[in-house]
Amino acid sequence: MSKFKGKKSKKKAEPEVPKKRNTILKRKQERQLKKKLKKEGKKQFIESKSKKKEKIEEEEAKKAVIEKEKAKKKERLKKKKENKAKKLEKEQSEQRKNRLLEDNKDEEKEIKRLEKLLGMKRRKSKNLPKSFLDDGLDYLFGSTTGDVAYDGLGSDLEDMGEFEEGGSNAEESGEDGMENASDNDQFDDMMEAQDDSEGEEEISGEEDENEDFDDQNVEDEGEESDYDDGNDPEQSDDENEASENDDENKSDNDGVWEDIYGRKRAKDGSIIGSEGGGVGGGGGKYIPPALRKAAGADKKKDLERLKKQLKGNLNRLAESNMHSIAAQIENMYRQNSRNDMNETIFSLITEAIVSPVNTPERLVTEYAMLIAIMHANVGSEVGAHFIEEFNKLFFQYYRTANLNEDTSKELDNIMVMLAYIFNFRIIDSKYIFELLSLLIESFKPKDIELILVCLRTAGFVIRKADPLAMKNLILEIQNKASTCASSDSRVQFMLDVLLAVKNNNVNKIPNYDPSHFEHLKKILKTFIREGNFVSEMKIGLKDLENADTLGGWWIVGSYYAGNLVGSAEGSREPGGGREPGGDNKEEFSAKLLELARKMRMNTDSRRKIFCIIMSAEDYLDATEKLLKLGTKNQTERDVMFVLLDSSVQEKTYNPFYAHLAVKLSGIERKYRLANQFCIWDKIKLTADMKDSQLENLGKYISHMVREKSQSIAVLRTVHFAEMNKPNVKLLRQVIFDVLLNEKEDDIRLIFEVVSKNPKLNMFREGFKLFLRHFILKKKKHLDKSLDFNKVEERVKLAEFYLTTASLKL
């Protein structure tokens, strides 16, 4: 115990050192000092920065001023250089002009000197020179015989200084009067340019033979004054000109020649009349070249030549050279009679395709395409001629053929040609239906074969052109086939083909490949000139039968004796229903109209669209009917409104409306835009929708997104900052349908398209926020049947594609 007590006493004995502690006031003061120091440091830093900025701005301003001064100096130098260059050009041009004027004066002096030496004088006769007559220019002065004097024209041309009395004597005064006479000599030089040139050629040719000609003329100056002895130089010039013309005209049909206006002229330049045996007679009356050619040419030889040219072109006709051959034939239409061209081409085509054996279909399609090109580029009368002629040829063979035992293929080949003429839309489906109904009435073995050929060649095109008439035709054929023997293989095969056409099943028709025709139909537009198109001629079979008696109303300017459109019997006549914009309204059942009323289709356009959609066999049939309505008066908006409203109002989701909307959007962009606007309008009305309607709308939108008809950005009208329950349900429906029913590559394409657009930054951020907050964080509110792990993976994948694309931007 004593030890323990001793240790304690030691500890107590150690003196305790008191710790220094700052008071509260001192700490406050320190803090205030620190704050002041910080503020001062910040002020100094900001001041230094501002000073640096000011220095930089001053330096930049100085640099800009210097650069401006440099640019101004450069511009000044450029302007100086340009001005110098312009001055040089002006000086050079003036020098050139002066040189040319001096050269002209020197040449005139030289010409006058040579004229004196050669003893040549200006003509004093007042008649027109023969050069005018040779060129057919005498009509300018009202002369038709060449004997009319032109001295009276001096008063009209005095201003130009071209005809004056002293003009011919001015040259005799020598070089002193050259300046005054130069103006008067200009027109004389022009008139006698050809005569002088011819004289110069003769003179130059004679110079080699007579080298001392100039010396003799200089020594014998007295010959110039001896005009009384009959040695007038003017007469010698005229004699030389006459001899030259005689030499030229000997080789040109005894002096008969044709001037630039097509008038026949004699040796002396006078116009040959009808009595003179000229082709273009009539006392100087102008005859067009086409009439002169037709009057003097042998037509048989022309037709033979034309046939050879066309046969060469048609034999070489193929897809590769279609453009060049079509251009050549079109040019031949301009140069020859259209009737001759049409008849010659028709005879050559019939020789090529109308044979006892089957003609290759490729050849027939190319000929039909050529007819379509000529129909568009040359005129509709070309296509009308071929339709009439092939129709006559068909019935010519049809009346003489044995329909029970005929095995030749002439009728089959003509039927294929008529079918392809229809396929290229030269003629309306009305003619084909009337022709087929005529064959159905007879229904003999050859008729069945012809019906089969027509259905194989043009069945699907007929179905697109008029589905309702095609349906009636199918029923008519089936009724007629039921009365025939069931063992007939032809009838059975025809019914199989008919069923394939009805169901739009191309694969069930054996040896049927429409790819070549579809390719030709696509490239047809490239061969037609801009502004032209293949106009479909709404001609019926009865129109063609009565064409010889009533006339052809389908040819512009043609005579037509039938009833006019709008008369009491006009609608019964063949041409009565030819107007494309007639009042043939499609009738619908009372049930459909009542249903349209209940669906609140409040306009005639919407009621008609609703009835077309509900009465269609499938979405393809509905597409064809709706496309016929066109896009005038914003019809496409009514179409998309009816489709979306009908889809939303269904009790359970029906994908028919979505498939139809996708098909229409793929055909024309207007439908796609109209569909987008309708979806936006419906999204704004989600607060008033039921759960089933929201579900239908979500599935419709997701179908559009998955089929690439609309992008996911169609949801950008949703306000992510102010979400309500209907919008949350709608977005969840769309997102689950897109993420769970698509592959990863498709998801990448869907979201990358949106992420590449910089204008959709707000939409991307809002969409990512919705994915995280309303899908990933709220598992309890989701449907338990969903695979949440897959949902989580796909959501992360969508976020990744959204962020990566935006980072690239």
Side-chain angles (χ1 to χ4, degrees), residues 577-608:
R578 66 182 179 272
E579 290 293 331
D583 295 327
N584 299 323
K585 291 185 178 179
E586 195 172 357
E587 295 181 358
F588 301 104
S589 63
K591 288 183 179 179
L592 270 177
L593 294 171
E594 182 62 23
L595 184 60
R597 189 186 64 78
K598 288 181 179 178
M599 292 288 290
R600 296 178 183 176
M601 301 298 163
N602 51 5
T603 63
D604 293 335
S605 175
R606 290 182 181 180
R607 276 193 291 273
K608 187 175 182 180

Side-chain angles (χ1 to χ4, degrees), residues 2 22 116 154 262 344 363 413 444 465 472 568 585 647 785 787:
S2 62
N22 295 326
K116 282 184 179 182
T344 308
L363 180 66
N413 293 329
K444 291 178 181 178
N472 296 332
K585 291 185 178 179
S647 177
S785 61
D787 186 359

Side-chain angles (χ1 to χ4, degrees), residues 767-783:
F767 194 78
K768 285 192 283 186
L769 182 65
F770 183 86
L771 290 175
R772 292 171 193 158
H773 185 73
F774 289 97
I775 292 179
L776 294 179
K777 289 187 178 180
K778 295 194 177 181
K779 300 178 184 178
K780 297 177 182 180
H781 299 284
L782 301 179
D783 190 1

Side-chain angles (χ1 to χ4, degrees), residues 124 126 151 154 158 162-170 184:
K124 290 182 180 179
K126 295 183 180 179
D151 58 344
E158 237 170 11
E162 293 174 351
F163 288 97
E164 288 182 5
E165 292 179 358
S168 61
N169 299 322
N184 299 330

